[in-house]
Amino acid sequence: MSALLEVSDLTVRLRLGDEQREVITGTAFQIAAGEAMGLVGESGSGKSMTAKAIARLLPLGARVSGRVTFDGADVLALHGAELRRHRARVAVVFQDPRAHINPVRRIDDFMTESLRLLDDVPRAEARRRAAAALEEVGIDDPAKRLRQFPHELSGGMLQRVMIATALLSEPRLLLADECTTALDVTTQAEVMAILDDLRRDRGLAMLFITHDLELAGAVCDRTTVMYAGQIVETRGSQRLHDDPLHPYSAALVQARPSVTATAPRLNAIPGRPVSAFEAPGGCRFAPRCPHAVDACRSHDQQLTALDGGWVRCSWAAELRGRLLASSPASSSGENANA
Amino acid sequence: MTRFLARRTAMLVATMLVASFAIYGALYVSPGSPLSALTGNRPLPPEAKAQLEARYHLNEPFLVRYWHWLVSALHGDLGESIPLHENVSTLIGQRVGVTAGLVLLTSVIIVIAGVGLGILGALGKGLVDNGVLLASTVSAALPSFAAAVVLQFVVAVKLGWLPALGTGHGFADSLRHLLLPALALAATSVALVTRVTRAAVREETGREHVQTAVSRGLPWPSVVRRHVLRNAAIPITTVVGITIASLIALSAVVETAFGLNGLGAYLVQAAQNKDVAVVQGISLVLVLAFVLTNMLVDIAYAVLDPRLTLGGRAA
């Protein structure tokens, strides 16, 4: 099966002053048409930069190597009109809709501008389509909303506007970059449901970026976990949750409060998350890993296939099944998620 | 919008009242008698002095005199110049055109050159941006009196392209005469507007919503026009407004340097002659122009930024 999006050996360096800082190291994954993949990781793990590289939105001075293929086209080589066409077919839903929608223009103007400017759709027709798209994401009285300004709408409403707008250009891939993080939990659930429905109805492929492993599992068939600019594990979402292969994935699973059990305190992962450029040699997670041995610190870990997934840990097979039982945070060894 | 305009108008009236009182009061307490210009500082016989004081209402209490002046001013009568025996409104009317023309032409230069160079610097890279920075630094360091001398010497005397002095007759000739004074007056302001525009456009370019527009595949010129410049217009309008309002007072220097018969030069002359009524009248007109300009800026502000009027934060 040929994938809609294929990322291979993607490495990104950002320029910071005179320095080149690596933020993504050799990332590789595929997304088929209509498939949803979750991309999970802490701040600085490189997940947002991965999305930006795919949409070609990296900041000026970024150095990119590797290969990104979208629908057969070499994304990293695109420029000019072809690049703009690529961006139109890859819709991005950003984290903070209030910052990402121009505050001085009406919703109508925001939603219809790419239809009018890129596809020469007449204003009335563009407005009709925008109203229909708003209805599709569950917004009442779309005609009124179209006349309003962004500051007159709530955050949840604005995020729906953002999603509706993304759909107007009939994209084939949706990059959802922490698109529910700024919303309260109820709104978050609604927005997730909308995204999920739309994806199924339209056969839209989606890269869902979040720091919330469970949220990714709820909407995505497959979840990829990133740490310090590297993919550490890729697996079916449910299996990743029940039977993580990498110690980092396991730690993430355990860091979430359980709905069924009351934990005296949440399991945190000791240490702080690092970015690719400051990661140590050998296994990048080793300093925070409760299972790390000297060999981990001296040898780079390779992504290897294991039980239908991929994992970057040489001890994965041995550790399997024991990861969730040993809690990395509590010295007493109690397991809150039991 | 109606309520906004009503509130702004009320504020304008209040400002004018306070300003008129300050102008009248300041000249009232300033040393010397308005009659000294008539008498040439010679002592007057008491009866002649009393007669003159009665004629110009100088013997009445301050508040009564202020009230009379204010009421006549509202009817367009700014009193009589004691040294010249002429109506102040007429004297002002003869000169207001020159100053208005000068300020208007200067404003056009400031907007076109300042905003244009600012955008060029913000969007251009390397050489273009550095060129803009250099030009604005030089221009900022040129006070209008220095610019006036340089322009007169180089453009008018050496090159002979434009007249160095005077007002001219007819539209085209007046424009020719006003061009050098306007350039001299604009120099510093162009630099300020350039810098502010450059910073505002730079800042907007980095905004998230601009990234959204780019991510939708819109052509860069459209993104710049519809999102960067549209939003940067808000801070630019503010600084342009303040700059133009301050030109009205600054015009005095340039008018004197270029021998223009305008309000600013006349204000200085009248103050030296202790022509109190003229100083009061011109000051009042200048304050009115200043306040009106500011009100226009505020209205432009409300139109440009929908969050202001609707949020009721229109101060």
Side-chain angles (χ1 to χ4, degrees):
Chain A
M1 180 188 66
S2 82
L4 176 68
L5 175 75
E6 197 173 339
V7 176
S8 52
D9 200 25
L10 178 71
T11 297
V12 175
R13 287 186 188 85
L14 297 184
R15 197 177 60 193
L16 221 100
D18 294 334
E19 264 183 277
Q20 292 274 340
R21 290 189 158 179
E22 191 162 290
V23 288
I24 304 174
T25 314
T27 294
F29 58 85
Q30 299 185 344
I31 298 180
E35 188 193 16
M37 188 183 93
L39 192 56
V40 181
E42 286 165 297
S43 317
S45 61
K47 52 194 196 305
S48 287
M49 283 301 156
T50 306
K52 288 203 166 122
I54 294 167
R56 286 286 301 275
L57 290 173
L58 287 170
L60 224 63
R63 296 261 287 274
V64 187
S65 66
R67 206 175 155 75
V68 177
T69 316
F70 178 75
D71 204 12
D74 181 2
V75 173
L76 299 180
L78 294 176
H79 55 87
E82 284 183 331
L83 174 58
R84 292 201 298 275
R85 207 169 308 128
H86 165 70
R87 282 174 175 157
R89 291 196 308 160
V90 177
V92 191
V93 178
F94 294 97
Q95 174 174 355
D96 181 0
R98 210 168 285 289
H100 277 97
I101 296 179
N102 191 342
V104 304
R105 291 188 171 272
R106 290 180 199 277
I107 300 294
D108 170 29
D109 206 63
F110 171 73
M111 291 190 73
T112 60
E113 79 171 332
S114 66
L115 284 180
R116 286 181 290 118
L117 292 177
L118 297 180
D119 305 334
D120 290 320
V121 179
R123 188 175 261 279
E125 165 66 10
R127 189 174 292 155
R128 197 192 56 71
R129 283 198 220 170
L134 283 181
E135 238 158 39
E136 210 176 335
V137 296
I139 288 183
D140 296 330
D141 200 356
K144 177 186 160 199
R145 298 299 175 204
L146 284 176
R147 282 193 305 273
Q148 287 180 309
F149 284 101
H151 68 273
E152 298 172 87
L153 271 60
S154 70
M157 191 96 80
L158 273 186
Q159 194 57 290
R160 290 185 211 204
V161 167
M162 193 85 145
I163 293 169
T165 310
L167 297 175
L168 277 178
S169 59
E170 295 181 355
R172 305 203 41 205
L173 173 68
L174 191 70
L175 302 175
D177 187 359
E178 302 246 13
C179 69
T180 58
T181 307
L183 306 175
D184 66 71
V185 183
T186 326
T187 322
Q188 193 176 346
E190 283 168 14
V191 169
M192 290 308 300
I194 291 166
L195 274 180
D196 205 32
D197 283 353
L198 289 173
R199 188 174 70 78
R200 286 175 208 283
D201 291 351
R202 298 180 171 233
L204 193 65
M206 180 161 80
L207 181 64
F208 185 80
I209 295 166
T210 176
H211 55 251
D212 188 335
L213 195 62
E214 227 152 287
L215 195 63
V219 282
C220 301
D221 321 301
R222 217 152 38 93
T223 300
T224 292
V225 181
M226 279 187 90
Y227 184 79
Q230 281 181 329
I231 289 178
V232 295
E233 182 169 353
T234 298
R235 232 162 160 231
S237 297
Q238 191 57 44
R239 308 201 57 180
L240 181 79
H241 184 266
D242 297 339
D243 177 25
L245 298 176
H246 194 279
Y248 177 64
S249 318
L252 277 185
V253 170
Q254 289 192 313
R256 258 196 79 94
S258 162
V259 182
T260 45
T262 40
R265 65 180 289 178
L266 286 174
N267 289 309
I269 307 175
R272 68 174 181 91
V274 291
S275 296
F277 63 90
E278 52 180 357
C283 171
R284 293 181 174 180
F285 185 60
R288 304 173 73 191
C289 180
H291 309 282
V293 293
D294 286 345
C296 299
R297 290 181 251 280
S298 52
H299 290 88
D300 279 352
Q301 304 289 311
Q302 300 304 319
L303 212 50
T304 45
L306 182 67
D307 190 31
W310 291 84
V311 61
R312 194 187 291 275
C313 175
S314 10
W315 314 99
E318 282 174 54
L319 289 169
R320 195 166 172 202
R322 292 196 286 131
L323 285 173
L324 287 183
S326 66
S327 164
S330 56
S331 50
S332 58
E334 271 177 36
N335 185 357
N337 276 28
Chain B
M1 197 67 184
T2 325
R3 267 183 55 195
F4 168 74
L5 286 178
R7 198 163 54 210
R8 288 299 313 171
T9 313
M11 277 167 73
L12 182 133
V13 171
T15 312
M16 286 312 296
L17 260 180
V18 173
S20 68
F21 188 82
I23 289 167
Y24 200 88
L27 286 165
Y28 180 79
V29 299
S30 68
S33 158
L35 296 177
S36 58
L38 270 187
T39 61
N41 284 331
R42 276 165 301 159
L44 276 181
E47 53 272 27
K49 191 167 179 252
Q51 201 184 351
L52 281 172
E53 279 182 350
R55 181 171 162 203
Y56 294 111
H57 306 286
L58 297 178
N59 49 359
E60 287 173 43
F62 170 70
L63 283 179
V64 175
R65 284 171 59 190
Y66 170 64
W67 179 249
H68 283 312
W69 177 71
L70 188 66
V71 172
S72 344
L74 287 176
H75 289 95
D77 177 14
L78 289 167
E80 194 183 332
S81 159
I82 297 177
L84 298 177
H85 299 292
E86 265 194 84
N87 188 289
V88 174
S89 305
T90 317
L91 288 169
I92 290 178
Q94 288 161 358
R95 292 164 174 87
V96 77
V98 173
T99 302
L102 176 63
V103 168
L104 214 65
L105 187 59
T106 311
S107 308
V108 171
I109 293 173
I110 289 174
V111 170
I112 293 177
V115 175
L117 284 174
I119 292 170
L120 206 65
L123 300 177
K125 296 184 195 96
L127 215 60
V128 176
D129 187 31
N130 287 333
V132 167
L133 280 181
L134 183 72
S136 68
T137 307
V138 171
S139 162
L142 264 183
S144 47
F145 58 85
V149 173
V150 171
L151 286 171
Q152 276 175 327
F153 182 72
V154 176
V155 183
V157 178
K158 285 278 162 194
L159 299 170
W161 290 349
L162 290 165
L165 292 168
T167 321
H169 300 281
F171 180 76
D173 192 39
S174 298
L175 204 63
R176 263 166 50 82
H177 277 86
L178 284 180
L179 199 54
L180 284 188
L183 283 173
L185 189 52
T188 316
S189 309
V190 166
L192 177 70
V193 172
T194 301
R195 290 295 178 104
V196 170
T197 302
R198 181 176 168 273
V201 171
R202 275 272 160 92
E203 191 178 327
E204 280 305 322
T205 310
R207 282 279 154 86
E208 283 102 335
H209 69 81
V210 173
Q211 192 184 47
T212 310
V214 171
S215 83
R216 295 169 76 185
L218 300 178
W220 182 236
S222 302
V223 175
V224 168
R225 201 181 65 246
R226 297 175 49 85
H227 298 285
V228 176
L229 297 187
R230 171 66 180 77
N231 293 42
I234 298 167
I236 295 171
T237 306
T238 315
V239 71
V240 166
I242 293 172
T243 310
I244 290 176
S246 65
L247 288 182
I248 300 166
L250 288 174
S251 63
V253 178
V254 174
E255 283 173 3
T256 311
F258 284 91
L260 295 176
N261 192 15
L263 282 188
Y266 191 46
L267 176 67
V268 177
Q269 192 192 326
Q272 281 165 352
N273 294 342
K274 197 71 189 164
D275 195 342
V276 175
V278 170
V279 173
Q280 284 167 340
I282 294 179
S283 303
L284 201 64
V285 170
L286 293 187
V287 171
L288 182 68
F290 189 87
V291 175
L292 275 177
T293 313
N294 271 321
M295 185 170 158
L296 284 180
V297 170
D298 273 355
I299 292 170
Y301 219 70
V303 171
L304 285 173
D305 193 343
R307 289 166 296 185
L308 285 188
T309 25
L310 296 163
R313 221 164 36 85

